[in-house]
Amino acid sequence: MRHYQAIIIGGGSAGLSAAVTLKDRGIEDILVLEKDREPGGILEQCIHNGFGLQRFKEQLSGPAYAERYIKMAEERNVKIKLNSMVIKLTPDRKVEYVNSEEGDVTVSADAVILAVGCYERSRGAINIYGTRPSGVYTAGQAQKYLNMNGYVVGRKVFILGSGDIGLIMARRMTLEGATVVGVAELMPYSNGLPRNMKQCLEDFNIPLYLSHTVTNIFGKDRLEGIELSEVDDKRNPIKGSEKYFDVDTLLLSVGLIPENHLADEAGIEMDPVTRGPKVDENYMTSIDGIFACGNGLHVHDLVDFVSLQAERAAEGAARYLSDGKSEAGVITLRNGSNVSYTVPKYIHKDAKINTEVFFRASRPMDKASLTVSCGDRLIRKLARRKVMPSEMDRVMITAKDLKDLDGDIVISMEENA
Amino acid sequence: MTENKELICINCPMGCRLNVTIEDGRVTEVTGNTCPRGREYALKEAVDPMRILTSTVRIEGAVHRVLPVISDGEIPLRQMFEAMAEIKKIDVRAPIKEGDIVLHDILGSGVNIIASRTMDRVD
Ligand SMILES: Cc1cc2nc3c(=O)[nH]c(=O)nc-3n(C[C@H](O)[C@H](O)[C@H](O)COP(=O)(O)OP(=O)(O)OC[C@H]3O[C@@H](n4cnc5c(N)ncnc54)[C@H](O)[C@@H]3O)c2cc1C
Ligand code: SF4
């Protein structure tokens, strides 16, 4: 069995960034396994601009951002096997993949980095009544058809969910000549970035129905229409509020979930909220030598953070390869009030690095104070403005902060008047 | 004639709410911006909003059937559909490099439409 220093599963922005960092840390014998026919991942279908503002101080399109990382990987002779789908990962870091040239192959490594991306919630996951005609797509599927195959999925479109992919597709399909009749959001606030609300909906006068959901679907072979209902504060449809729209296409933009089955089958401990693996400050999962990053760890809205986090996971893997794992105990990070999750989940007490913790607020707040505390001890208090669950936030916990801590670290937010 | 407009700055995730005063088609006051970019944005946005345009063009001999393209500068929002009609007329052949111009000076705006990725020739 061929053995590598490190194997990276997935050649999207996370996988490429991790590979580049490993090479720069002197880890030479690495392999990237990618199931698609080209590297780049989801970015290849995200042709709009707005990528790389933090990383390159430029507004790049998704493919252009990916191309920068593909070039960096090429310059460092990163070995990428394309069309190679990983079907199994074992706790002793054996990786089984299939491709049409080699068939079914198993390789092993001292470190494995999961960079597998995410998938979209589909109709089955949200339970809409009605018939099952064609014309119902996830927003990402429609995006792929249009931006990679040149095929517009419909002429009269309704979009359920105000996630960014849905908003981006509202504009894209409008420019392609389709009519987007409306976008509905179950929550009383939008789930997309304000800039996308402005550029994708307002610019084209596309109405947004907050606190609304699709309650029925009509049509036999092809979708013919949908029923939209307002929901109450418990998110139950209100009788008598139904509106009808004649549309041939319904796009679902109702959430992304980390692609977690490889990790799950390997027996890695998962976080029920993010639905990705639980990791420590080195991005190592509950299994020694297996790391996770990118959308396969938790869903990101900015690719810049994906690249950043993948670098940290690769640095964690490089440290593990040279020093082994820490035997010190861990401090658990917990989400307090108004915070829905934190990544990482654990920090070793003897951590020498500062740990940047990624988290999301669980509701919008105009002004808030963010606190990091442990028991009675307040470690940090910071002010925040215009907090949105759709925008990931970060806070630093330094190695010094960890001194003499006893108990869990809790990250919370309180709304200020 | 004096007119007041509320805008949301789209230049960064802060999403500042801007208040713009317009007199006879000219912006005379901007408030609510946290940084100078907000003011610059408001000056144009209140009078003639400008946007980057991204789309695809047909490509022959490449890994995909279409090539993603982007405008190398901003185009007036009011001309987006006209610009799309021009882009629809284009066909290109692989190989194409990122940054290659696929359409010069779209609608006389001085802005070019360029390839936003490289696509090699595949047979
Ligand atoms: C549709 C969409 C729109 C977005 N828009 C923006 C935006 O406007 N601005 C912004 O900054 N960010 C945006 N993002 C966020 C950001 O682009 C992504 O979070 C980021 O690119 C994800 O990178 P990744 O490497 O984690 O995942 P991916 O890019 O999905 O890469 C995962 C890779 O792993 C491969 N893979 C998965 N399973 C296996 C397996 N078993 N074997 C082999 N290979 C496998 C996949 O084929 C894929 O190539 C968007 C995200 C999405 C989904
Ligand atoms: S005004 Fe400045 S800080 Fe505010 S959204 Fe615009 S660019 Fe960002």
Side-chain angles (χ1 to χ4, degrees), chain A residues 38 44 61 67 172 203, chain B residues 51 56 64 88 116-118:
Chain A
E38 49 174 12
E44 298 299 340
S61 73
E67 193 155 327
R172 181 79 177 103
D203 275 5
Chain B
R51 297 284 182 268
T56 52
H64 302 296
K88 288 274 134 234
S116 78
R117 62 165 283 187
T118 297

Side-chain angles (χ1 to χ4, degrees), chain A residues 37-38 44 47-49 61 63-64 67 147-150 172 174-176 195 198-199 203 386 391, chain B residues 10 13-14 45 51-56 63-66 68 70 77 81 84 88 98 116-118:
Chain A
R37 57 187 157 163
E38 49 174 12
E44 298 299 340
I47 66 160
H48 56 279
N49 66 317
S61 73
E67 193 155 327
N147 293 345
M148 298 178 85
N149 305 332
R172 181 79 177 103
T174 304
L175 286 171
E176 284 292 333
R195 61 197 307 263
K198 174 78 189 78
Q199 304 181 88
D203 275 5
K386 300 208 173 72
E391 289 179 35
Chain B
I10 57 173
M14 284 276 290
E45 185 70 14
R51 297 284 182 268
I52 295 283
L53 174 59
T54 60
S55 184
T56 52
V63 59
H64 302 296
R65 295 234 293 275
V66 290
I70 186 167
L77 179 58
F81 288 97
M84 281 297 289
K88 288 274 134 234
E98 190 210 336
S116 78
R117 62 165 283 187
T118 297

Side-chain angles (χ1 to χ4, degrees), chain B residues 55-123:
Chain B
S55 184
T56 52
V57 300
R58 286 178 301 270
I59 185 165
E60 186 250 317
V63 59
H64 302 296
R65 295 234 293 275
V66 290
L67 170 78
V69 296
I70 186 167
S71 60
D72 66 3
E74 291 181 324
I75 310 178
L77 179 58
R78 63 189 150 79
Q79 286 187 320
M80 281 303 154
F81 288 97
E82 273 172 83
M84 281 297 289
E86 292 302 305
I87 289 173
K88 288 274 134 234
K89 293 180 194 156
I90 305 172
D91 278 296
V92 297
R93 282 168 64 92
I96 289 272
K97 283 227 157 339
E98 190 210 336
D100 283 356
I101 296 179
V102 301
L103 179 61
H104 279 275
D105 189 17
I106 188 164
L107 305 170
S109 62
V111 167
N112 303 311
I113 301 298
I114 63 175
S116 78
R117 62 165 283 187
T118 297
M119 276 197 195
D120 295 331
R121 179 104 204 146
V122 291
D123 294 300

Side-chain angles (χ1 to χ4, degrees), chain B residues 9 11-12 14-16 18 33-35 37-38:
Chain B
C9 179
N11 282 306
C12 90
M14 284 276 290
C16 295
L18 312 176
N33 55 315
T34 308
C35 81
R37 274 162 70 204

